[in-house]
Amino acid sequence: MSESATTTTASGPEAARSDLPPIDRAPLRRRRWRSAGVQFACLTITLFMAVPIVLIALAAVSSRDDLNRFPKPLLPGDLSTETLSSFFHATGTVPALGNSVLVGLYTVFWSLVVGAPAGYALARYAFRGQDAYRVFVLLVRALPIVVLSVPLATMFLHLHIDDTVLAVTLVHTVLALPTTVLITASIFVAVPADLEEAARVFGCTRWQAARRVVVPLALPGLAASSIFTFVLSWNEILGATIVTLGHRTLPAQVLTALAEASTPYRFAGGFALIIPALLFILVMRRYLVNMWGTTLR
């Protein structure tokens, strides 16, 4: 009796397992293929953006013989600082580099000073014509830079601030304000208003609540706005070329010299234009990553 009972007991679960339907592994395979597709797309985009930077960097550290050789080698046979040295020793390069850095930092500062309060107002207050105001702000970016630069240059001539760092800063601030206002508005909306109200209940004024509660939580968004603003200011050429002549930024200086510049100058100029923007992004990157991390959950 015991043996038959044991046989019956042992065969019961095995029979139950045999009656179960087969495991459908299709969702798991689809998930793996989707993950592989995302990784491939990210790798493709990264290579698409990184390959030109790498090629320009390799050309910038190549010797003149390697650059004049045909066909050019993919990897430089002899690393040399001759190309970069000749670029930075060219007339006006170092002052133009300083002008670009100053204009970029000043543009970030004034864009945040003017645009962040506007974004806060859009996020916290409901007023008539709010949607129309958002569209009107975007119209500035819809206009070609020439349409803005020519009247601004005329105004700068009358105000006697033409051909100065201030003039370029004002032009770049006008171009960057729409992005700053809309980005900061979306970030301030994500910060719960209850936190600000709680701070006011505990004795903070509206300014103190915004400074001590809202701004620290919105710091990633402000960093993202500053990244876009600095890169826009650093890469902008036409406006800086129109409003300046003797105090040009580095992109404007390189642009005006391209017609008569040699090949080493062009590669070195491209490399010099990339590095400061990359360094600024690397410094502000951790704030930008926090925007999708734990800061505003």
Side-chain angles (χ1 to χ4, degrees):
M1 291 291 293
S2 60
E3 294 179 359
S4 62
T6 303
T7 305
T8 305
T9 305
S11 62
E14 294 177 359
R17 288 194 207 99
S18 62
D19 293 338
L20 291 176
I23 299 176
D24 186 11
R25 300 183 181 273
L28 181 60
R29 287 195 296 268
R30 287 196 296 268
R31 183 175 181 180
R32 289 177 177 175
W33 279 107
R34 190 180 302 114
S35 177
V38 171
Q39 294 294 330
F40 178 77
C42 293
L43 181 61
T44 303
I45 295 174
T46 303
L47 290 176
F48 179 77
M49 294 186 296
V51 167
I53 298 176
V54 172
L55 293 178
I56 291 176
L58 291 176
V61 296
S62 300
S63 63
R64 289 181 176 268
D65 294 336
D66 289 339
L67 290 178
N68 295 326
R69 189 180 305 169
F70 184 81
K72 292 182 176 62
L74 181 62
L75 297 177
D78 183 18
L79 296 179
S80 174
T81 59
E82 181 184 2
T83 301
L84 290 174
S85 177
S86 61
F87 172 76
F88 284 106
H89 282 87
T91 304
T93 299
V94 175
L97 177 61
N99 291 336
S100 291
V101 174
L102 288 177
V103 169
L105 295 179
Y106 289 159
T107 303
V108 170
F109 174 77
W110 287 113
S111 296
L112 290 178
V113 168
V114 179
Y120 179 82
L122 286 176
R124 287 291 186 263
Y125 301 102
F127 53 89
R128 182 177 298 177
Q130 187 175 21
D131 295 335
Y133 174 75
R134 294 175 184 267
V135 176
F136 178 76
V137 169
L138 286 176
L139 284 179
V140 177
R141 297 307 306 271
L143 296 174
I145 181 62
V146 177
V147 177
L148 296 175
S149 298
V150 172
L152 286 176
T154 304
M155 182 178 66
F156 296 156
L157 286 172
H158 289 293
L159 295 176
H160 304 288
I161 59 172
D162 58 294
D163 196 15
T164 60
V165 171
L166 176 61
V168 186
T169 300
L170 293 177
V171 174
H172 291 179
T173 302
V174 169
L175 296 177
L177 271 179
T179 305
T180 304
V181 171
L182 296 180
I183 290 179
T184 54
S186 62
I187 294 300
F188 287 132
V189 166
V191 177
D194 298 341
L195 298 177
E196 189 176 358
E197 294 174 358
R200 298 191 63 186
V201 168
F202 284 100
C204 291
T205 62
R206 181 179 294 277
W207 165 250
Q208 290 175 338
R211 181 171 59 89
R212 297 180 179 180
V213 177
V214 178
V215 172
L217 293 176
L219 188 60
L222 299 179
S225 175
S226 66
I227 289 175
F228 291 126
T229 301
F230 185 85
V231 173
L232 182 147
S233 174
W234 184 265
N235 293 329
E236 203 281 322
I237 298 177
L238 186 57
T241 305
I242 292 176
V243 300
T244 59
L245 183 62
H247 297 82
R248 284 179 170 168
T249 59
L250 186 60
Q253 180 76 15
V254 173
L255 177 66
T256 54
L258 281 181
E260 302 176 356
S262 60
T263 301
Y265 181 90
R266 297 177 183 180
F267 284 119
F271 183 71
L273 291 175
I274 293 173
I275 294 302
L278 289 180
L279 292 178
F280 185 82
I281 292 173
L282 288 176
V283 172
M284 306 299 291
R285 177 179 55 88
R286 63 190 184 96
Y287 300 104
L288 181 62
V289 173
N290 286 338
M291 187 168 60
W292 290 281
T294 59
T295 303
L296 292 180
R297 279 185 181 175

